[in-house]
């Protein structure tokens, strides 16, 4: 489990570092020695706060219920890709780099493999299930009959042999 934690940290650190660097870079860009510097910095913080609040509301109450986890993640990746391409297009002399970034990122998003829904509903928040899941190599072979992401829960019905299992957020609530 420690190796998995290290690998996850290794993958997530660059993105977390870059996201953490955005606001200080914006503040450095908008602040200067003029008297209007405070207004510019305040506006930048206000827009950051407004974006964080609206992003959470839109994702939680609209995108997740209508697009599901996979669709919301794909849309988020596409928006980030467009933003990165726009910034590259503004800042670079050669705009071909931005076009190549946009096209390659769009292709990567379009050809992402379909989510394994039974992995999403494995219930690995329980320690004994997490150990079994890890020892099986991350394979969780159950047939997902129904799957729906909601505002507060993910509901699924899975077939395990002759049994049907009703799950909320990976926890079995009922079976036949």
């Amino acid at each position: 489990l420690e190796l998995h934690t290290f690998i996850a940290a290794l993958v997530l650190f660059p993105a977390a570092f870059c996201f953490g660097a955005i606001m200080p870079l914006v503040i450095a860009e908008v602040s200067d020695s003029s008297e209007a510097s405070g207004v510019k910095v305040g506006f930048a913080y206000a827009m950051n706060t407004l974006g964080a609040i609206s992003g959470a509301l839109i994702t939680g109450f609209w995108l997740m219920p209508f697009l599901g986890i996979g669709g919301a993640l794909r849309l988020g990746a596409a928006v980030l890709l467009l933003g990165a391409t726009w910034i590259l297009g503004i800042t670079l002399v050669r705009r071909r780099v931005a076009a190549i970034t946009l096209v390659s990122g769009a292709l990567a998003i379009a050809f992402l493999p379909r989510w394994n829904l039974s992995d999403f509903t494995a219930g690995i928040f329980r320690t004994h299930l997490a150990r079994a899941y890890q020892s099986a190599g991350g394979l969780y072979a159950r047939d997902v009959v129904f799957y729906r992401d909601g505002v507060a829960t993910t509901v699924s019905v899975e077939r395990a042999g002759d049994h049907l299992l009703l799950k909320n957020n990976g926890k079995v609530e009922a079976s036949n």
Side-chain angles (χ1 to χ4, degrees), residues 85 88-89 94-105:
T85 304
L88 282 173
R94 296 184 190 134
R95 303 208 188 269
R96 278 186 248 161
V97 174
I100 290 170
T101 303
L102 180 63
V103 170
S104 61

Side-chain angles (χ1 to χ4, degrees), residues 7-151:
I7 292 171
L10 194 63
V11 169
L12 292 174
F13 178 77
F17 180 81
C18 290
F19 279 128
I22 289 174
M23 202 58 194
L25 290 173
V26 167
I27 298 305
E29 183 66 29
V30 299
S31 62
D32 52 23
S33 60
S34 70
E35 290 185 25
S37 181
V39 173
K40 293 176 187 176
V41 169
F43 183 76
Y45 273 110
M47 290 299 103
N48 183 53
T49 302
L50 183 65
I53 292 169
S54 61
L57 288 173
I58 289 169
T59 302
F61 291 108
W62 188 69
L63 293 178
M64 291 287 293
F66 292 113
L67 299 178
I69 291 174
L73 285 173
R74 285 177 195 260
L75 181 62
V79 168
L80 288 173
L81 177 67
L82 285 173
T85 304
W86 179 63
I87 291 170
L88 282 173
I90 289 173
T91 59
L92 294 177
V93 176
R94 296 184 190 134
R95 303 208 188 269
R96 278 186 248 161
V97 174
I100 290 170
T101 303
L102 180 63
V103 170
S104 61
L107 288 172
I109 291 170
F111 291 106
L112 279 174
R114 180 155 166 76
W115 300 101
N116 185 352
L117 297 179
S118 64
D119 282 344
F120 278 6
T121 63
I124 57 173
F125 55 87
R126 296 180 174 185
T127 343
H128 70 283
L129 291 176
R131 285 190 190 109
Y133 183 80
Q134 186 179 12
S135 66
L139 301 174
Y140 187 73
R142 284 199 176 143
D143 182 30
V144 178
V145 179
F146 174 83
Y147 180 92
R148 178 79 41 95
D149 294 310
V151 173

